[in-house]
Amino acid sequence: MEFTYVKFEVLIPEEYIHKLRDELNDAGLLNVGHYDHVLSYVHVKGYWRPLQSSTPYRGTKGKVSFGEECRVEFTCSADRVEVAKRIIKNIHPYEEPVIHVLPQFTI
């Protein structure tokens, strides 16, 4: 099966969403039909433990942390995945951002 679109899921602090949305839109990645800026997000809670070799955005090395962030979702053309990943990594404050890219199959 081939796919033409992918769905991105990105975990990111809420204060970075507007900048991410604007940069992705400026690159033409948030268009759906006759709309642009098409992106959604939900608040999520999670755990993480920064290891000794890390430079954590939040949390303390060696201690399990708990906090809230947002899961941003958007769909873009499969041939633009690398552009989207580059934009996300340039804006994202985490040294290891969580980025999921899921194929969207056409039925």
Side-chain angles (χ1 to χ4, degrees):
M1 271 189 158
E2 289 189 32
F3 57 93
T4 12
Y5 292 95
V6 296
K7 176 186 176 186
F8 270 83
E9 296 179 350
V10 181
L11 297 177
I12 191 167
E14 187 171 17
E15 60 267 25
Y16 288 85
I17 292 174
H18 286 116
K19 182 168 178 52
L20 179 62
R21 182 202 63 202
D22 291 346
E23 293 282 333
L24 291 168
N25 194 73
D26 288 349
L29 299 174
L30 299 182
N31 296 334
V32 175
H34 297 288
Y35 297 85
D36 67 2
H37 287 87
V38 180
L39 173 146
S40 61
Y41 72 94
V42 295
H43 290 268
V44 297
K45 295 179 180 182
Y47 293 95
W48 67 95
R49 181 174 64 178
L51 302 177
Q52 289 305 314
S53 60
S54 69
T55 307
Y57 173 74
R58 290 188 183 137
T60 303
K61 290 182 183 185
K63 295 189 179 190
V64 176
S65 299
F66 174 80
E68 189 173 282
E69 58 192 347
C70 293
R71 183 180 67 230
V72 170
E73 301 177 358
F74 64 93
T75 300
C76 75
S77 177
D79 64 351
R80 306 291 311 275
V81 167
E82 293 305 316
V83 173
K85 283 172 43 180
R86 185 172 51 250
I87 291 169
I88 293 165
K89 288 179 179 183
N90 284 340
I91 292 169
H92 211 293
Y94 301 170
E95 66 182 314
E96 297 292 338
V98 175
I99 303 169
H100 297 144
V101 182
L102 309 164
Q104 299 294 291
F105 296 100
T106 304
I107 297 175

Short mmCIF file of all heavy atoms in Angstrom, two decimals, residues 10-70:
data_model
loop_
_atom_site.label_atom_id
_atom_site.label_comp_id
_atom_site.label_asym_id
_atom_site.label_seq_id
_atom_site.Cartn_x
_atom_site.Cartn_y
_atom_site.Cartn_z
N VAL A 10 3.47 15.25 17.88
CA VAL A 10 4.66 15.83 18.50
C VAL A 10 4.32 16.22 19.94
O VAL A 10 3.33 16.90 20.17
CB VAL A 10 5.13 17.09 17.73
CG1 VAL A 10 6.37 17.68 18.37
CG2 VAL A 10 5.36 16.79 16.27
N LEU A 11 5.14 15.79 20.89
CA LEU A 11 4.99 16.22 22.28
C LEU A 11 5.84 17.46 22.48
O LEU A 11 7.04 17.46 22.18
CB LEU A 11 5.41 15.12 23.23
CG LEU A 11 4.58 13.84 23.16
CD1 LEU A 11 5.15 12.79 24.10
CD2 LEU A 11 3.13 14.12 23.48
N ILE A 12 5.20 18.55 22.97
CA ILE A 12 5.88 19.84 23.06
C ILE A 12 5.22 20.68 24.15
O ILE A 12 4.01 20.57 24.37
CB ILE A 12 5.84 20.56 21.69
CG1 ILE A 12 6.76 21.77 21.63
CG2 ILE A 12 4.42 20.92 21.30
CD1 ILE A 12 6.98 22.32 20.22
N PRO A 13 6.00 21.53 24.85
CA PRO A 13 5.38 22.43 25.81
C PRO A 13 4.41 23.39 25.11
O PRO A 13 4.66 23.84 23.98
CB PRO A 13 6.56 23.21 26.41
CG PRO A 13 7.75 22.34 26.18
CD PRO A 13 7.46 21.62 24.88
N GLU A 14 3.31 23.71 25.78
CA GLU A 14 2.26 24.53 25.17
C GLU A 14 2.76 25.88 24.67
O GLU A 14 2.32 26.38 23.64
CB GLU A 14 1.11 24.73 26.16
CG GLU A 14 -0.08 25.43 25.54
CD GLU A 14 -1.30 25.44 26.44
OE1 GLU A 14 -1.16 25.20 27.66
OE2 GLU A 14 -2.40 25.69 25.92
N GLU A 15 3.70 26.47 25.38
CA GLU A 15 4.17 27.81 25.00
C GLU A 15 4.90 27.83 23.65
O GLU A 15 5.17 28.90 23.10
CB GLU A 15 5.04 28.42 26.10
CG GLU A 15 6.30 27.64 26.43
CD GLU A 15 6.12 26.65 27.58
OE1 GLU A 15 4.99 26.21 27.85
OE2 GLU A 15 7.14 26.32 28.21
N TYR A 16 5.20 26.68 23.06
CA TYR A 16 5.87 26.62 21.76
C TYR A 16 4.91 26.32 20.60
O TYR A 16 5.33 26.32 19.45
CB TYR A 16 6.97 25.55 21.79
CG TYR A 16 8.15 25.96 22.61
CD1 TYR A 16 8.16 25.76 23.99
CD2 TYR A 16 9.26 26.57 22.03
CE1 TYR A 16 9.25 26.15 24.77
CE2 TYR A 16 10.35 26.96 22.80
CZ TYR A 16 10.32 26.75 24.17
OH TYR A 16 11.39 27.14 24.92
N ILE A 17 3.65 26.09 20.90
CA ILE A 17 2.71 25.66 19.85
C ILE A 17 2.47 26.73 18.81
O ILE A 17 2.49 26.45 17.61
CB ILE A 17 1.38 25.19 20.47
CG1 ILE A 17 1.60 23.90 21.24
CG2 ILE A 17 0.33 24.97 19.37
CD1 ILE A 17 0.39 23.41 22.01
N HIS A 18 2.26 27.99 19.20
CA HIS A 18 1.99 29.04 18.21
C HIS A 18 3.15 29.21 17.24
O HIS A 18 2.95 29.35 16.03
CB HIS A 18 1.66 30.37 18.89
CG HIS A 18 0.30 30.39 19.48
ND1 HIS A 18 0.09 30.51 20.82
CD2 HIS A 18 -0.93 30.27 18.91
CE1 HIS A 18 -1.21 30.47 21.06
NE2 HIS A 18 -1.85 30.33 19.92
N LYS A 19 4.37 29.23 17.76
CA LYS A 19 5.54 29.37 16.88
C LYS A 19 5.64 28.17 15.95
O LYS A 19 5.89 28.34 14.75
CB LYS A 19 6.81 29.52 17.71
CG LYS A 19 8.07 29.72 16.85
CD LYS A 19 9.24 30.14 17.68
CE LYS A 19 10.51 30.30 16.89
NZ LYS A 19 10.45 31.14 15.73
N LEU A 20 5.43 26.97 16.48
CA LEU A 20 5.47 25.77 15.64
C LEU A 20 4.40 25.84 14.56
O LEU A 20 4.67 25.59 13.38
CB LEU A 20 5.30 24.52 16.49
CG LEU A 20 5.31 23.19 15.74
CD1 LEU A 20 6.64 22.97 15.04
CD2 LEU A 20 4.99 22.04 16.69
N ARG A 21 3.18 26.18 14.95
CA ARG A 21 2.08 26.28 13.99
C ARG A 21 2.41 27.28 12.88
O ARG A 21 2.24 26.99 11.70
CB ARG A 21 0.80 26.72 14.71
CG ARG A 21 -0.41 26.82 13.79
CD ARG A 21 -1.47 27.72 14.34
NE ARG A 21 -0.94 29.07 14.46
CZ ARG A 21 -1.44 29.99 15.28
NH1 ARG A 21 -2.44 29.72 16.07
NH2 ARG A 21 -0.91 31.19 15.31
N ASP A 22 2.89 28.45 13.25
CA ASP A 22 3.18 29.48 12.26
C ASP A 22 4.30 29.07 11.30
O ASP A 22 4.19 29.29 10.09
CB ASP A 22 3.51 30.81 12.95
CG ASP A 22 2.31 31.42 13.63
OD1 ASP A 22 1.16 31.00 13.39
OD2 ASP A 22 2.52 32.34 14.46
N GLU A 23 5.36 28.46 11.82
CA GLU A 23 6.47 28.03 10.97
C GLU A 23 6.04 26.90 10.01
O GLU A 23 6.40 26.91 8.84
CB GLU A 23 7.65 27.56 11.82
CG GLU A 23 8.30 28.66 12.61
CD GLU A 23 9.21 29.54 11.80
OE1 GLU A 23 9.75 29.08 10.78
OE2 GLU A 23 9.38 30.71 12.18
N LEU A 24 5.28 25.94 10.54
CA LEU A 24 4.79 24.85 9.68
C LEU A 24 3.86 25.40 8.60
O LEU A 24 3.92 25.00 7.44
CB LEU A 24 4.07 23.79 10.50
CG LEU A 24 4.93 22.95 11.44
CD1 LEU A 24 4.05 22.15 12.39
CD2 LEU A 24 5.86 22.03 10.64
N ASN A 25 3.00 26.34 8.98
CA ASN A 25 2.08 26.93 8.01
C ASN A 25 2.82 27.74 6.96
O ASN A 25 2.50 27.67 5.77
CB ASN A 25 1.04 27.79 8.71
CG ASN A 25 -0.11 28.11 7.79
OD1 ASN A 25 -0.93 27.26 7.49
ND2 ASN A 25 -0.16 29.34 7.31
N ASP A 26 3.82 28.52 7.39
CA ASP A 26 4.61 29.32 6.44
C ASP A 26 5.31 28.43 5.41
O ASP A 26 5.55 28.86 4.28
CB ASP A 26 5.64 30.18 7.17
CG ASP A 26 5.01 31.34 7.93
OD1 ASP A 26 3.80 31.62 7.74
OD2 ASP A 26 5.74 31.95 8.74
N ALA A 27 5.61 27.19 5.79
CA ALA A 27 6.25 26.24 4.88
C ALA A 27 5.22 25.49 4.02
O ALA A 27 5.58 24.61 3.24
CB ALA A 27 7.09 25.25 5.67
N GLY A 28 3.93 25.83 4.18
CA GLY A 28 2.88 25.19 3.39
C GLY A 28 2.51 23.79 3.85
O GLY A 28 1.97 23.01 3.07
N LEU A 29 2.77 23.48 5.12
CA LEU A 29 2.55 22.12 5.61
C LEU A 29 1.21 21.92 6.33
O LEU A 29 0.87 20.79 6.66
CB LEU A 29 3.69 21.72 6.55
CG LEU A 29 5.07 21.71 5.91
CD1 LEU A 29 6.14 21.46 6.96
CD2 LEU A 29 5.15 20.68 4.81
N LEU A 30 0.47 22.96 6.58
CA LEU A 30 -0.77 22.83 7.36
C LEU A 30 -2.01 23.12 6.53
O LEU A 30 -3.02 23.58 7.04
CB LEU A 30 -0.72 23.75 8.59
CG LEU A 30 0.39 23.47 9.59
CD1 LEU A 30 0.28 24.41 10.78
CD2 LEU A 30 0.37 22.01 10.04
N ASN A 31 -1.95 22.81 5.24
CA ASN A 31 -3.10 23.03 4.36
C ASN A 31 -3.95 21.77 4.25
O ASN A 31 -3.42 20.68 4.06
CB ASN A 31 -2.64 23.43 2.95
CG ASN A 31 -1.89 24.75 2.95
OD1 ASN A 31 -2.10 25.59 3.81
ND2 ASN A 31 -1.02 24.91 1.98
N VAL A 32 -5.25 21.96 4.38
CA VAL A 32 -6.22 20.89 4.15
C VAL A 32 -7.34 21.51 3.33
O VAL A 32 -8.06 22.39 3.82
CB VAL A 32 -6.77 20.30 5.46
CG1 VAL A 32 -7.86 19.27 5.17
CG2 VAL A 32 -5.66 19.68 6.29
N GLY A 33 -7.46 21.08 2.07
CA GLY A 33 -8.48 21.66 1.20
C GLY A 33 -8.29 23.17 1.06
O GLY A 33 -7.21 23.64 0.74
N HIS A 34 -9.33 23.93 1.38
CA HIS A 34 -9.30 25.39 1.26
C HIS A 34 -8.98 26.06 2.59
O HIS A 34 -9.39 27.20 2.84
CB HIS A 34 -10.64 25.90 0.74
CG HIS A 34 -10.96 25.39 -0.64
ND1 HIS A 34 -10.30 25.83 -1.76
CD2 HIS A 34 -11.84 24.47 -1.07
CE1 HIS A 34 -10.77 25.20 -2.82
NE2 HIS A 34 -11.71 24.36 -2.42
N TYR A 35 -8.24 25.36 3.47
CA TYR A 35 -7.90 25.89 4.79
C TYR A 35 -6.41 25.77 5.02
O TYR A 35 -5.75 24.88 4.49
CB TYR A 35 -8.63 25.10 5.90
CG TYR A 35 -10.13 25.23 5.82
CD1 TYR A 35 -10.87 24.39 5.00
CD2 TYR A 35 -10.80 26.21 6.54
CE1 TYR A 35 -12.24 24.52 4.90
CE2 TYR A 35 -12.18 26.34 6.46
CZ TYR A 35 -12.89 25.49 5.64
OH TYR A 35 -14.24 25.61 5.54
N ASP A 36 -5.89 26.68 5.85
CA ASP A 36 -4.51 26.53 6.31
C ASP A 36 -4.50 26.64 7.83
O ASP A 36 -5.55 26.77 8.46
CB ASP A 36 -3.56 27.50 5.62
CG ASP A 36 -3.77 28.96 5.97
OD1 ASP A 36 -4.66 29.28 6.79
OD2 ASP A 36 -3.03 29.80 5.43
N HIS A 37 -3.34 26.57 8.43
CA HIS A 37 -3.18 26.57 9.89
C HIS A 37 -3.95 25.40 10.54
O HIS A 37 -4.39 25.51 11.68
CB HIS A 37 -3.64 27.89 10.52
CG HIS A 37 -2.70 29.03 10.27
ND1 HIS A 37 -2.77 29.80 9.14
CD2 HIS A 37 -1.68 29.50 11.02
CE1 HIS A 37 -1.84 30.72 9.19
NE2 HIS A 37 -1.16 30.56 10.32
N VAL A 38 -4.12 24.28 9.83
CA VAL A 38 -4.90 23.15 10.35
C VAL A 38 -4.01 22.29 11.23
O VAL A 38 -3.13 21.56 10.76
CB VAL A 38 -5.51 22.32 9.20
CG1 VAL A 38 -6.32 21.16 9.76
CG2 VAL A 38 -6.37 23.21 8.30
N LEU A 39 -4.23 22.40 12.54
CA LEU A 39 -3.43 21.71 13.54
C LEU A 39 -4.30 21.59 14.79
O LEU A 39 -5.12 22.46 15.07
CB LEU A 39 -2.19 22.56 13.83
CG LEU A 39 -1.24 22.18 14.94
CD1 LEU A 39 0.18 22.53 14.53
CD2 LEU A 39 -1.58 22.89 16.23
N SER A 40 -4.15 20.52 15.52
CA SER A 40 -4.88 20.39 16.79
C SER A 40 -3.92 19.93 17.86
O SER A 40 -2.82 19.44 17.58
CB SER A 40 -6.04 19.40 16.64
OG SER A 40 -5.57 18.13 16.30
N TYR A 41 -4.34 20.12 19.13
CA TYR A 41 -3.52 19.64 20.23
C TYR A 41 -4.38 19.30 21.43
O TYR A 41 -5.49 19.79 21.56
CB TYR A 41 -2.42 20.64 20.60
CG TYR A 41 -2.90 21.89 21.30
CD1 TYR A 41 -2.90 21.97 22.69
CD2 TYR A 41 -3.32 23.00 20.59
CE1 TYR A 41 -3.32 23.11 23.34
CE2 TYR A 41 -3.74 24.14 21.23
CZ TYR A 41 -3.73 24.20 22.61
OH TYR A 41 -4.15 25.34 23.25
N VAL A 42 -3.83 18.45 22.26
CA VAL A 42 -4.47 18.07 23.53
C VAL A 42 -3.40 18.10 24.61
O VAL A 42 -2.21 17.91 24.35
CB VAL A 42 -5.12 16.67 23.47
CG1 VAL A 42 -6.27 16.63 22.49
CG2 VAL A 42 -4.11 15.60 23.13
N HIS A 43 -3.84 18.36 25.83
CA HIS A 43 -2.94 18.31 26.98
C HIS A 43 -2.75 16.86 27.40
O HIS A 43 -3.72 16.10 27.46
CB HIS A 43 -3.52 19.12 28.14
CG HIS A 43 -3.50 20.59 27.88
ND1 HIS A 43 -2.45 21.39 28.27
CD2 HIS A 43 -4.40 21.38 27.27
CE1 HIS A 43 -2.71 22.63 27.88
NE2 HIS A 43 -3.88 22.65 27.28
N VAL A 44 -1.52 16.48 27.64
CA VAL A 44 -1.19 15.13 28.10
C VAL A 44 -0.27 15.24 29.31
O VAL A 44 0.39 16.25 29.52
CB VAL A 44 -0.54 14.27 26.99
CG1 VAL A 44 -1.48 14.06 25.83
CG2 VAL A 44 0.76 14.89 26.51
N LYS A 45 -0.22 14.17 30.09
CA LYS A 45 0.68 14.11 31.24
C LYS A 45 1.62 12.94 31.03
O LYS A 45 1.24 11.93 30.45
CB LYS A 45 -0.12 13.93 32.52
CG LYS A 45 -0.99 15.13 32.82
CD LYS A 45 -1.78 14.93 34.08
CE LYS A 45 -2.64 16.16 34.32
NZ LYS A 45 -3.41 16.05 35.56
N GLY A 46 2.85 13.09 31.48
CA GLY A 46 3.80 12.03 31.27
C GLY A 46 4.92 12.01 32.29
O GLY A 46 5.06 12.93 33.10
N TYR A 47 5.70 10.94 32.23
CA TYR A 47 6.86 10.73 33.09
C TYR A 47 8.12 10.67 32.24
O TYR A 47 8.08 10.23 31.09
CB TYR A 47 6.75 9.40 33.83
CG TYR A 47 5.64 9.32 34.84
CD1 TYR A 47 4.41 8.79 34.51
CD2 TYR A 47 5.85 9.77 36.14
CE1 TYR A 47 3.39 8.71 35.44
CE2 TYR A 47 4.84 9.69 37.09
CZ TYR A 47 3.62 9.16 36.73
OH TYR A 47 2.61 9.08 37.66
N TRP A 48 9.24 11.04 32.82
CA TRP A 48 10.54 10.90 32.19
C TRP A 48 11.61 11.00 33.28
O TRP A 48 11.37 11.57 34.34
CB TRP A 48 10.77 11.96 31.10
CG TRP A 48 10.89 13.35 31.66
CD1 TRP A 48 12.05 14.02 31.97
CD2 TRP A 48 9.82 14.24 32.00
NE1 TRP A 48 11.76 15.27 32.48
CE2 TRP A 48 10.38 15.42 32.51
CE3 TRP A 48 8.43 14.15 31.93
CZ2 TRP A 48 9.62 16.50 32.95
CZ3 TRP A 48 7.67 15.22 32.37
CH2 TRP A 48 8.26 16.39 32.86
N ARG A 49 12.76 10.41 33.01
CA ARG A 49 13.89 10.54 33.93
C ARG A 49 15.12 10.93 33.12
O ARG A 49 15.61 10.14 32.31
CB ARG A 49 14.16 9.24 34.68
CG ARG A 49 15.34 9.40 35.65
CD ARG A 49 15.55 8.21 36.52
NE ARG A 49 15.93 7.07 35.69
CZ ARG A 49 16.23 5.89 36.19
NH1 ARG A 49 16.19 5.67 37.48
NH2 ARG A 49 16.56 4.91 35.39
N PRO A 50 15.63 12.12 33.32
CA PRO A 50 16.86 12.52 32.64
C PRO A 50 18.04 11.69 33.13
O PRO A 50 18.27 11.57 34.33
CB PRO A 50 17.03 13.99 33.03
CG PRO A 50 15.67 14.44 33.49
CD PRO A 50 15.05 13.22 34.10
N LEU A 51 18.75 11.09 32.20
CA LEU A 51 19.96 10.33 32.54
C LEU A 51 21.13 11.29 32.75
O LEU A 51 21.06 12.48 32.41
CB LEU A 51 20.25 9.31 31.44
CG LEU A 51 19.11 8.30 31.19
CD1 LEU A 51 19.46 7.40 30.03
CD2 LEU A 51 18.79 7.51 32.45
N GLN A 52 22.21 10.78 33.30
CA GLN A 52 23.35 11.64 33.66
C GLN A 52 23.94 12.37 32.44
O GLN A 52 24.46 13.46 32.58
CB GLN A 52 24.43 10.82 34.38
CG GLN A 52 24.02 10.41 35.77
CD GLN A 52 23.62 11.57 36.66
OE1 GLN A 52 24.28 12.61 36.71
NE2 GLN A 52 22.49 11.42 37.36
N SER A 53 23.86 11.77 31.27
CA SER A 53 24.44 12.39 30.07
C SER A 53 23.50 13.41 29.42
O SER A 53 23.83 14.00 28.40
CB SER A 53 24.80 11.31 29.06
OG SER A 53 23.64 10.58 28.70
N SER A 54 22.32 13.65 30.01
CA SER A 54 21.32 14.53 29.40
C SER A 54 21.50 15.99 29.82
O SER A 54 22.21 16.31 30.77
CB SER A 54 19.91 14.07 29.79
OG SER A 54 19.69 14.30 31.17
N THR A 55 20.83 16.85 29.07
CA THR A 55 20.70 18.26 29.41
C THR A 55 19.20 18.55 29.41
O THR A 55 18.64 18.99 28.41
CB THR A 55 21.41 19.15 28.35
OG1 THR A 55 22.75 18.69 28.20
CG2 THR A 55 21.40 20.60 28.76
N PRO A 56 18.52 18.26 30.54
CA PRO A 56 17.06 18.33 30.54
C PRO A 56 16.50 19.74 30.45
O PRO A 56 17.02 20.67 31.05
CB PRO A 56 16.67 17.68 31.87
CG PRO A 56 17.87 17.80 32.74
CD PRO A 56 19.06 17.82 31.82
N TYR A 57 15.43 19.87 29.67
CA TYR A 57 14.66 21.11 29.60
C TYR A 57 13.91 21.30 30.91
O TYR A 57 13.82 22.39 31.44
CB TYR A 57 13.69 21.05 28.41
CG TYR A 57 12.73 22.21 28.32
CD1 TYR A 57 13.18 23.46 27.91
CD2 TYR A 57 11.39 22.06 28.63
CE1 TYR A 57 12.31 24.53 27.82
CE2 TYR A 57 10.51 23.11 28.54
CZ TYR A 57 10.97 24.35 28.14
OH TYR A 57 10.11 25.41 28.05
N ARG A 58 13.33 20.20 31.40
CA ARG A 58 12.65 20.16 32.69
C ARG A 58 13.10 18.90 33.41
O ARG A 58 13.38 17.89 32.79
CB ARG A 58 11.13 20.11 32.51
CG ARG A 58 10.54 21.38 31.98
CD ARG A 58 9.01 21.30 32.02
NE ARG A 58 8.46 22.51 31.44
CZ ARG A 58 7.44 22.54 30.61
NH1 ARG A 58 6.83 21.44 30.27
NH2 ARG A 58 7.01 23.69 30.13
N GLY A 59 13.10 18.95 34.72
CA GLY A 59 13.45 17.78 35.50
C GLY A 59 14.88 17.83 35.99
O GLY A 59 15.66 18.73 35.65
N THR A 60 15.21 16.84 36.82
CA THR A 60 16.53 16.74 37.44
C THR A 60 17.17 15.42 37.03
O THR A 60 16.52 14.38 37.07
CB THR A 60 16.39 16.79 38.97
OG1 THR A 60 15.71 18.00 39.32
CG2 THR A 60 17.73 16.77 39.66
N LYS A 61 18.43 15.47 36.68
CA LYS A 61 19.14 14.25 36.29
C LYS A 61 19.00 13.18 37.37
O LYS A 61 19.16 13.46 38.56
CB LYS A 61 20.62 14.55 36.05
CG LYS A 61 20.88 15.37 34.82
CD LYS A 61 22.36 15.58 34.63
CE LYS A 61 22.62 16.47 33.44
NZ LYS A 61 24.05 16.60 33.15
N GLY A 62 18.68 11.97 36.93
CA GLY A 62 18.59 10.84 37.83
C GLY A 62 17.29 10.71 38.60
O GLY A 62 17.11 9.74 39.32
N LYS A 63 16.38 11.66 38.45
CA LYS A 63 15.10 11.61 39.18
C LYS A 63 13.94 11.53 38.20
O LYS A 63 13.91 12.24 37.19
CB LYS A 63 14.93 12.85 40.06
CG LYS A 63 15.95 12.92 41.16
CD LYS A 63 15.64 14.02 42.13
CE LYS A 63 16.70 13.99 43.23
NZ LYS A 63 16.37 14.85 44.32
N VAL A 64 12.97 10.66 38.53
CA VAL A 64 11.78 10.54 37.70
C VAL A 64 10.96 11.82 37.85
O VAL A 64 10.69 12.26 38.96
CB VAL A 64 10.93 9.30 38.09
CG1 VAL A 64 9.65 9.27 37.28
CG2 VAL A 64 11.73 8.02 37.87
N SER A 65 10.61 12.40 36.71
CA SER A 65 9.83 13.63 36.69
C SER A 65 8.43 13.34 36.16
O SER A 65 8.22 12.37 35.43
CB SER A 65 10.50 14.67 35.79
OG SER A 65 11.78 14.99 36.28
N PHE A 66 7.51 14.22 36.48
CA PHE A 66 6.13 14.12 36.01
C PHE A 66 5.69 15.52 35.62
O PHE A 66 6.01 16.50 36.30
CB PHE A 66 5.23 13.59 37.14
CG PHE A 66 3.77 13.59 36.78
CD1 PHE A 66 3.24 12.58 35.99
CD2 PHE A 66 2.93 14.60 37.23
CE1 PHE A 66 1.89 12.57 35.66
CE2 PHE A 66 1.59 14.59 36.90
CZ PHE A 66 1.07 13.58 36.12
N GLY A 67 4.98 15.63 34.49
CA GLY A 67 4.53 16.95 34.09
C GLY A 67 3.54 16.91 32.95
O GLY A 67 3.19 15.84 32.45
N GLU A 68 3.10 18.09 32.57
CA GLU A 68 2.13 18.23 31.50
C GLU A 68 2.81 18.87 30.29
O GLU A 68 3.66 19.75 30.43
CB GLU A 68 0.97 19.12 31.97
CG GLU A 68 -0.18 19.15 30.99
CD GLU A 68 -1.37 19.90 31.55
OE1 GLU A 68 -2.10 19.32 32.37
OE2 GLU A 68 -1.57 21.06 31.13
N GLU A 69 2.42 18.40 29.12
CA GLU A 69 2.84 18.98 27.85
C GLU A 69 1.68 18.81 26.89
O GLU A 69 0.59 18.43 27.30
CB GLU A 69 4.12 18.30 27.35
CG GLU A 69 4.00 16.81 27.15
CD GLU A 69 5.34 16.13 26.95
OE1 GLU A 69 6.35 16.79 26.71
OE2 GLU A 69 5.36 14.89 27.01
N CYS A 70 1.89 19.09 25.64
CA CYS A 70 0.82 18.96 24.66
C CYS A 70 1.24 18.01 23.55
O CYS A 70 2.41 17.95 23.19
CB CYS A 70 0.48 20.33 24.06
SG CYS A 70 -0.26 21.44 25.25
#
